[in-house]
Amino acid sequence: MDSVIYGVSKLMTFTIFALVLTSTSINGALQRNSTSNKTQSSSSGQINSNSVLVALLDSHYTELAELVEKALLLQTLEEAVGVHNITIFAPKNEALERQLDPEFKRFLLEPGNLKSLQTLLMSHIIPKRIGSKEWKSGLVKKHLSLGNAHVELSNTDNKRFVDLGHLAEVTRIDDITRPDGIIHGIERLLVPRSVQEDFNKRRSLRSISAVKPEGAPEVDLKTHRLKKAAAPVPVGAPPVLPIYDALAPGPSLAPAPAPGPGGPRHHFDGHAQVKDFIQTLVLYGGYNEMADILVNLTSLATEMGRLVSEGYVLTVLAPNDEAMAKLTTDQLSEPGAPEQIMYYHIIPEYQTEESMYNSVRRFGKVKFDTLRLPHKVAAQEADGSVKFGHGEGSAYLFDPDIYTDGRISVQGIDGVLFPQEEETTSKTNQPAAPVKKVLSKPRRGMLSLLV
């Protein structure tokens, strides 16, 4: 009987020992999972509300914060803050608003120059915490910025300077301090040499390849192919046309000439050009509804690509998102309504902001053909800009030359245009004027005398 009792006690001790082992293993696994979750959450890049990036976005350096958002650098800076402390040299708002060259600012904000804008902004950030205590008097030291540019910091006579090719004085030392970084205010913008060289090349037109203007090619209506170019005129032969017929109205009135067919097969890639200008609309901002209608709601993007491939040129009057939001469901619910609205905003000519403005300045009121036949869109000068349409349904040229490549020109307007009702329909709706009876007076002459 004692053996049975001892056997039971051994069995129970064995089960208790097994339970203890399983509980310890479970606790260890839970601890490992919790630590791994902590490391994953820490490495996920979530920014604390006390971060220097949040302080920059909420600070009085509004112009710099806006440029950082436009340059799409928030995620990159979040990753940098998660690795080490950073030091930001923030130019004052006046340096970006008034003191900066407008042409250089326009160059930075163009969608094609996004890398230059990112390089410029990253050159203002050093992956190291440098405060007033580390910035001692008489110290001259170079630091590598996040934009791969060497920034020289100096302190002479209690005046601190930042050198990136040109000196910029620090006006507010330790202006904003946070656990993961520090912000110093400087008097002006720092421009790296690489960005300055890109701007100089763009301004001097060295990076733009010149294309000889050949005009729009002619399409054979029977075969739907491009006609062959005429044979070259031999040297010394008289011109085919008189010189006066070959003269254009003038550089201020004639629209920009479209380049000729390029590529090895000598044809236009209209679909690629249409895709390019739609991507430019999306990146430009404020024209997402227009891009959505061209691509998803209708098949106009494909039709425009075919037209450009056949040699036609187009000017698109693109209403912005605020104007498209005012459209009612009744205006869009009818079959073919979106296509008809868009057809009225496409001009089968290549017009730029300069050519249209010069035309309305000289001729007063100009009517352009549209793809919605037989309606035309009227344009006239108003308030130093170009005004399209009539009366309350008019729209102003809001964002000029959003996209211009010689084949497709996109001009942003602040309203949706509708064709004016024909005069015949308006006349039929008016009530007819009452018919007046006209009584003729009796004639006095030879007849009365004979009677």
Side-chain angles (χ1 to χ4, degrees):
M1 187 170 183
D2 292 338
S3 62
V4 175
I5 295 174
Y6 283 114
V8 173
S9 63
K10 288 180 181 179
L11 180 60
M12 292 186 66
T13 54
F14 176 75
T15 54
I16 292 172
F17 181 70
L19 290 173
V20 171
L21 287 177
T22 54
S23 62
T24 54
S25 62
I26 291 172
N27 290 331
L30 290 175
Q31 289 179 359
R32 287 193 298 271
N33 289 333
S34 62
T35 55
S36 63
N37 290 332
K38 289 181 180 179
T39 56
Q40 289 178 359
S41 62
S42 62
S43 63
S44 61
Q46 296 180 355
I47 298 300
N48 189 8
S49 60
N50 198 26
S51 174
V52 68
L53 296 181
V54 178
L56 174 63
L57 298 178
D58 296 337
S59 66
H60 54 274
Y61 300 106
T62 55
E63 291 292 327
L64 179 63
E66 184 178 356
L67 288 179
V68 170
E69 292 181 355
K70 290 183 177 180
L72 307 177
L73 288 177
L74 289 178
Q75 184 177 0
T76 305
L77 294 180
E78 287 177 3
E79 295 174 357
V81 169
V83 176
H84 39 60
N85 276 225
I86 62 174
T87 301
I88 302 176
F89 300 101
K92 57 184 181 180
N93 290 334
E94 295 180 357
L96 297 175
E97 288 179 348
R98 303 174 185 175
Q99 300 176 4
L100 190 62
D101 184 11
E103 188 177 355
F104 181 68
K105 188 175 183 179
R106 195 182 308 115
F107 164 78
L108 293 176
L109 296 180
E110 289 180 357
N113 302 324
L114 181 62
K115 292 184 178 179
S116 298
L117 179 60
Q118 291 177 348
T119 303
L120 183 137
L121 295 176
M122 297 291 276
S123 299
H124 290 72
I125 303 172
I126 295 177
K128 184 180 179 182
R129 187 182 185 91
I130 304 174
S132 58
K133 296 180 180 180
E134 293 81 11
W135 208 337
K136 298 180 181 179
S137 178
L139 178 65
V140 178
K141 191 174 181 180
K142 289 186 178 181
H143 298 274
L144 185 64
S145 65
L146 293 179
N148 294 327
H150 291 279
V151 181
E152 183 177 299
L153 307 181
S154 59
N155 187 350
T156 56
D157 299 333
N158 293 327
K159 290 185 178 181
R160 296 171 173 85
F161 296 94
V162 182
D163 189 5
L164 190 62
H166 299 280
L167 285 176
E169 185 179 357
V170 179
T171 56
R172 293 188 176 186
I173 189 70
D174 296 344
D175 191 11
I176 300 175
T177 57
R178 291 294 185 270
D180 55 355
I182 190 170
I183 300 177
H184 304 297
I186 57 178
E187 61 178 351
R188 66 178 191 84
L189 186 69
L190 302 175
V191 181
R193 182 177 297 177
S194 60
V195 178
Q196 187 67 39
E197 290 177 355
D198 293 341
F199 173 65
N200 293 335
K201 289 180 181 178
R202 179 67 178 272
R203 185 168 54 181
S204 61
L205 301 179
R206 292 178 182 174
S207 62
I208 300 177
S209 58
V211 179
K212 184 180 178 181
E214 300 177 359
E218 297 181 0
V219 179
D220 192 353
L221 299 179
K222 295 181 179 179
T223 60
H224 297 284
R225 294 181 180 179
L226 297 178
K227 292 183 178 180
K228 294 183 179 180
V233 180
V235 179
V240 180
L241 295 176
I243 186 63
Y244 295 101
D245 294 344
L247 289 177
S252 61
L253 291 178
R265 299 183 181 179
H266 299 284
H267 69 275
F268 297 102
D269 191 359
H271 297 284
Q273 290 179 279
V274 171
K275 182 180 179 181
D276 190 17
F277 103 78
I278 291 176
Q279 289 179 351
T280 304
L281 274 181
V282 175
L283 293 175
Y284 192 88
Y287 294 91
N288 295 330
E289 296 295 331
M290 179 72 178
D292 186 35
I293 289 179
L294 292 176
V295 177
N296 298 325
L297 197 57
T298 64
S299 60
L300 288 177
T302 306
E303 296 180 10
M304 293 172 65
R306 292 175 181 173
L307 290 175
V308 175
S309 298
E310 293 177 359
Y312 293 96
V313 291
L314 302 174
T315 299
V316 182
L317 304 178
N320 54 17
D321 290 344
E322 295 181 2
M324 298 294 288
K326 296 179 183 178
L327 292 176
T328 61
T329 55
D330 296 335
Q331 294 173 335
L332 295 174
S333 59
E334 297 181 2
E339 287 86 351
Q340 294 299 323
I341 294 175
M342 291 297 103
Y343 282 149
Y344 191 64
H345 290 76
I346 301 177
I347 301 173
E349 301 177 18
Y350 186 81
Q351 295 285 343
T352 61
E353 185 264 343
E354 182 181 1
S355 63
M356 287 191 293
Y357 183 71
N358 290 331
S359 298
V360 297
R361 278 289 302 273
R362 180 171 181 177
F363 301 109
K365 195 171 185 180
V366 181
K367 290 186 177 181
F368 296 102
D369 292 329
T370 64
L371 294 186
R372 184 174 178 180
L373 299 175
H375 299 286
K376 298 184 178 182
V377 58
Q380 59 184 344
E381 183 191 6
D383 300 331
S385 180
V386 183
K387 177 183 177 182
F388 300 96
H390 306 273
E392 298 180 355
S394 60
Y396 286 86
L397 185 60
F398 191 70
D399 291 322
D401 295 341
I402 297 177
Y403 180 85
T404 52
D405 65 348
R407 307 299 306 169
I408 302 174
S409 173
V410 181
Q411 309 293 328
I413 57 177
D414 61 352
V416 181
L417 301 175
F418 290 94
Q420 192 179 19
E421 294 181 358
E422 298 181 0
E423 296 181 359
T424 55
T425 56
S426 61
K427 288 182 180 180
T428 53
N429 293 333
Q430 293 178 356
V435 179
K436 295 182 180 181
K437 294 183 179 180
V438 181
L439 299 176
S440 61
K441 296 181 180 181
R443 297 182 180 180
R444 294 181 180 180
M446 297 300 296
L447 293 175
S448 62
L449 291 176
L450 292 175
V451 174

